[in-house]
Short mmCIF file of all heavy atoms in Angstrom, two decimals:
data_model
loop_
_atom_site.label_atom_id
_atom_site.label_comp_id
_atom_site.label_asym_id
_atom_site.label_seq_id
_atom_site.Cartn_x
_atom_site.Cartn_y
_atom_site.Cartn_z
N PHE A 33 -30.10 -19.83 -26.62
CA PHE A 33 -31.38 -19.51 -25.98
C PHE A 33 -32.17 -18.47 -26.76
O PHE A 33 -33.36 -18.62 -26.90
CB PHE A 33 -31.06 -18.87 -24.56
CG PHE A 33 -32.32 -18.61 -23.71
CD1 PHE A 33 -33.10 -19.66 -23.26
CD2 PHE A 33 -32.77 -17.32 -23.59
CE1 PHE A 33 -34.22 -19.37 -22.52
CE2 PHE A 33 -33.90 -17.13 -22.87
CZ PHE A 33 -34.60 -18.11 -22.37
N ARG A 34 -31.41 -17.48 -27.30
CA ARG A 34 -32.14 -16.51 -28.13
C ARG A 34 -32.70 -17.16 -29.39
O ARG A 34 -33.86 -16.83 -29.84
CB ARG A 34 -31.28 -15.35 -28.50
CG ARG A 34 -30.98 -14.32 -27.28
CD ARG A 34 -30.34 -13.03 -27.72
NE ARG A 34 -28.96 -13.30 -28.34
CZ ARG A 34 -27.85 -13.18 -27.58
NH1 ARG A 34 -27.97 -12.93 -26.39
NH2 ARG A 34 -26.73 -13.30 -28.19
N HIS A 35 -31.96 -18.05 -30.04
CA HIS A 35 -32.38 -18.67 -31.27
C HIS A 35 -33.59 -19.53 -30.98
O HIS A 35 -34.53 -19.58 -31.77
CB HIS A 35 -31.22 -19.60 -31.78
CG HIS A 35 -30.11 -18.81 -32.45
ND1 HIS A 35 -28.86 -19.37 -32.66
CD2 HIS A 35 -30.00 -17.48 -32.71
CE1 HIS A 35 -28.08 -18.46 -33.17
NE2 HIS A 35 -28.74 -17.30 -33.18
N PHE A 36 -33.59 -20.20 -29.81
CA PHE A 36 -34.66 -21.03 -29.44
C PHE A 36 -35.95 -20.24 -29.28
O PHE A 36 -37.09 -20.64 -29.84
CB PHE A 36 -34.32 -21.76 -28.21
CG PHE A 36 -35.46 -22.76 -27.78
CD1 PHE A 36 -35.66 -23.94 -28.44
CD2 PHE A 36 -36.25 -22.40 -26.63
CE1 PHE A 36 -36.72 -24.77 -28.02
CE2 PHE A 36 -37.20 -23.26 -26.16
CZ PHE A 36 -37.53 -24.40 -26.93
N ILE A 37 -35.82 -19.08 -28.69
CA ILE A 37 -37.00 -18.16 -28.44
C ILE A 37 -37.55 -17.66 -29.73
O ILE A 37 -38.70 -17.80 -30.05
CB ILE A 37 -36.57 -16.99 -27.49
CG1 ILE A 37 -36.24 -17.52 -26.17
CG2 ILE A 37 -37.79 -15.93 -27.50
CD1 ILE A 37 -37.43 -18.23 -25.39
N VAL A 38 -36.61 -17.31 -30.70
CA VAL A 38 -37.12 -16.82 -32.04
C VAL A 38 -37.81 -17.94 -32.75
O VAL A 38 -38.81 -17.72 -33.39
CB VAL A 38 -35.89 -16.29 -32.76
CG1 VAL A 38 -36.20 -16.02 -34.27
CG2 VAL A 38 -35.29 -14.96 -32.25
N PHE A 39 -37.21 -19.21 -32.73
CA PHE A 39 -37.54 -20.25 -33.37
C PHE A 39 -39.12 -20.64 -32.88
O PHE A 39 -40.06 -20.88 -33.70
CB PHE A 39 -36.77 -21.47 -33.27
CG PHE A 39 -37.27 -22.73 -33.92
CD1 PHE A 39 -37.16 -22.98 -35.17
CD2 PHE A 39 -37.85 -23.74 -33.08
CE1 PHE A 39 -37.64 -24.10 -35.86
CE2 PHE A 39 -38.19 -24.91 -33.71
CZ PHE A 39 -38.16 -25.07 -35.11
N ILE A 40 -39.29 -20.67 -31.66
CA ILE A 40 -40.61 -21.00 -30.97
C ILE A 40 -41.68 -19.88 -31.43
O ILE A 40 -42.70 -20.26 -31.76
CB ILE A 40 -40.52 -21.01 -29.43
CG1 ILE A 40 -39.59 -22.36 -29.10
CG2 ILE A 40 -41.86 -21.18 -28.78
CD1 ILE A 40 -40.33 -23.62 -29.49
N VAL A 41 -41.25 -18.62 -31.19
CA VAL A 41 -42.15 -17.57 -31.54
C VAL A 41 -42.60 -17.58 -32.96
O VAL A 41 -43.78 -17.44 -33.35
CB VAL A 41 -41.58 -16.15 -31.09
CG1 VAL A 41 -42.49 -15.06 -31.68
CG2 VAL A 41 -41.47 -16.11 -29.63
N GLY A 42 -41.57 -17.83 -33.89
CA GLY A 42 -42.00 -17.85 -35.28
C GLY A 42 -42.79 -19.05 -35.61
O GLY A 42 -43.69 -19.00 -36.48
N SER A 43 -42.61 -20.22 -35.02
CA SER A 43 -43.38 -21.35 -35.24
C SER A 43 -44.86 -21.13 -34.80
O SER A 43 -45.79 -21.45 -35.50
CB SER A 43 -42.89 -22.59 -34.44
OG SER A 43 -41.49 -22.84 -34.93
N LEU A 44 -44.99 -20.41 -33.69
CA LEU A 44 -46.44 -20.11 -33.24
C LEU A 44 -47.14 -19.28 -34.10
O LEU A 44 -48.28 -19.46 -34.57
CB LEU A 44 -46.32 -19.43 -31.99
CG LEU A 44 -45.83 -20.40 -30.65
CD1 LEU A 44 -45.78 -19.56 -29.42
CD2 LEU A 44 -46.97 -21.58 -30.44
N PHE A 45 -46.51 -18.31 -34.64
CA PHE A 45 -47.00 -17.23 -35.70
C PHE A 45 -47.49 -18.08 -36.95
O PHE A 45 -48.44 -17.94 -37.52
CB PHE A 45 -46.02 -16.08 -35.95
CG PHE A 45 -46.34 -14.97 -35.05
CD1 PHE A 45 -45.56 -14.85 -33.78
CD2 PHE A 45 -47.18 -13.91 -35.43
CE1 PHE A 45 -45.94 -13.85 -32.94
CE2 PHE A 45 -47.47 -12.80 -34.49
CZ PHE A 45 -46.85 -12.75 -33.27
#
Side-chain angles (χ1 to χ4, degrees):
F33 182 74
R34 287 196 293 267
H35 290 165
F36 180 73
I37 294 299
V38 171
F39 179 75
I40 292 298
V41 172
S43 298
L44 290 175
F45 270 86

